[in-house]
Amino acid sequence: MCSTTPSTPAESAVPHAGGVSEDEFRAALSRFTAGVVLVTAHDPEEGPRGEDVGMTATAFMSVSLDPPLVMVSVRNGSRMDELLERQPHWAVSVLSDAQRHIAGRFAMKGRISDRLLFQDMTVARGAHTDAPLAVGALATLECRTEQRVTAGDHTLVVGRVLEASAPAGEGGPLTYYRGRYRTLG
């Protein structure tokens, strides 16, 4: 008999077909240190002047040097997934250890509107994407989507880098390890 009731936290310990439970998977991958980025895009269709959208990501990586490609993983059905499905231009700000508050703000569950999240944040507009770039970031990239690949409950968005900048700044990278933001050193 098939049940349609939602799973409870205790049921997440039940192994998937491959033999590993969600809890075991999360625990193992929490030991992997990842850099933290802010992925942003401008939605020209939202409101009279459009709306900026942002999300914190740790599943971000370089894919290719020639051509210059990067990839970010976005949760299926999320605001960013829906926007990047119709808007090919987006940006990435590699956050510094002094920008932990930005990472936390854009990672909140049940968060307030994106408009309010950007309200008191200093940003510059990307020349190629019109996406907001976090001022003070260690690096910024402006991208155009080349490919979208569905992978389980996420979509891998591969983008061609249109412009990359690494301003001379102070501080180290913001990282994520064992469920917390960390700094090097």
Side-chain angles (χ1 to χ4, degrees):
M1 176 172 216
C2 182
S3 171
T4 58
T5 57
S7 64
T8 62
E11 290 175 337
S12 67
V14 174
H16 287 73
V20 64
S21 73
E22 287 181 20
D23 290 343
E24 291 167 329
F25 184 66
R26 280 189 183 129
L29 289 186
S30 76
R31 304 301 202 272
F32 180 73
T33 302
V36 182
V37 300
L38 177 66
V39 179
T40 57
H42 183 74
D43 186 352
E45 297 175 14
E46 188 68 38
R49 286 178 266 149
E51 183 176 49
D52 294 328
V53 176
M55 69 167 236
T56 300
T58 56
F60 172 79
M61 63 182 279
S62 167
V63 174
S64 167
L65 271 176
D66 186 19
L69 299 173
V70 294
M71 184 209 70
V72 65
S73 178
V74 297
R75 186 176 35 82
N76 294 341
S78 67
R79 172 84 164 97
M80 187 61 74
D81 179 44
E82 291 171 0
L83 177 56
L84 294 185
E85 194 167 22
R86 60 183 166 79
Q87 163 61 285
H89 294 102
W90 46 283
V92 174
S93 297
V94 178
L95 298 179
S96 74
D97 53 12
Q99 294 176 310
R100 179 186 302 219
H101 64 288
I102 293 172
R105 175 186 298 188
F106 286 90
M108 288 188 302
K109 292 194 188 316
R111 64 188 202 196
I112 58 178
S113 78
D114 283 277
R115 187 178 314 271
L116 293 174
L117 294 175
F118 282 103
Q119 196 169 33
D120 65 346
M121 190 175 143
T122 306
V123 298
R125 289 270 160 208
H128 299 279
T129 62
D130 197 33
L133 303 168
V135 171
L138 296 178
T140 58
L141 305 161
E142 290 188 79
C143 307
R144 181 186 66 235
T145 299
E146 294 279 309
Q147 187 176 11
R148 291 174 54 89
V149 179
T150 301
D153 59 2
H154 279 65
T155 296
L156 308 178
V157 182
V158 178
R160 180 181 294 258
V161 177
L162 305 172
E163 184 164 319
S165 174
E170 296 295 316
L174 182 62
T175 64
Y176 194 73
Y177 176 72
R178 295 188 79 174
R180 293 182 41 210
Y181 295 116
R182 314 275 180 145
T183 58
L184 293 181

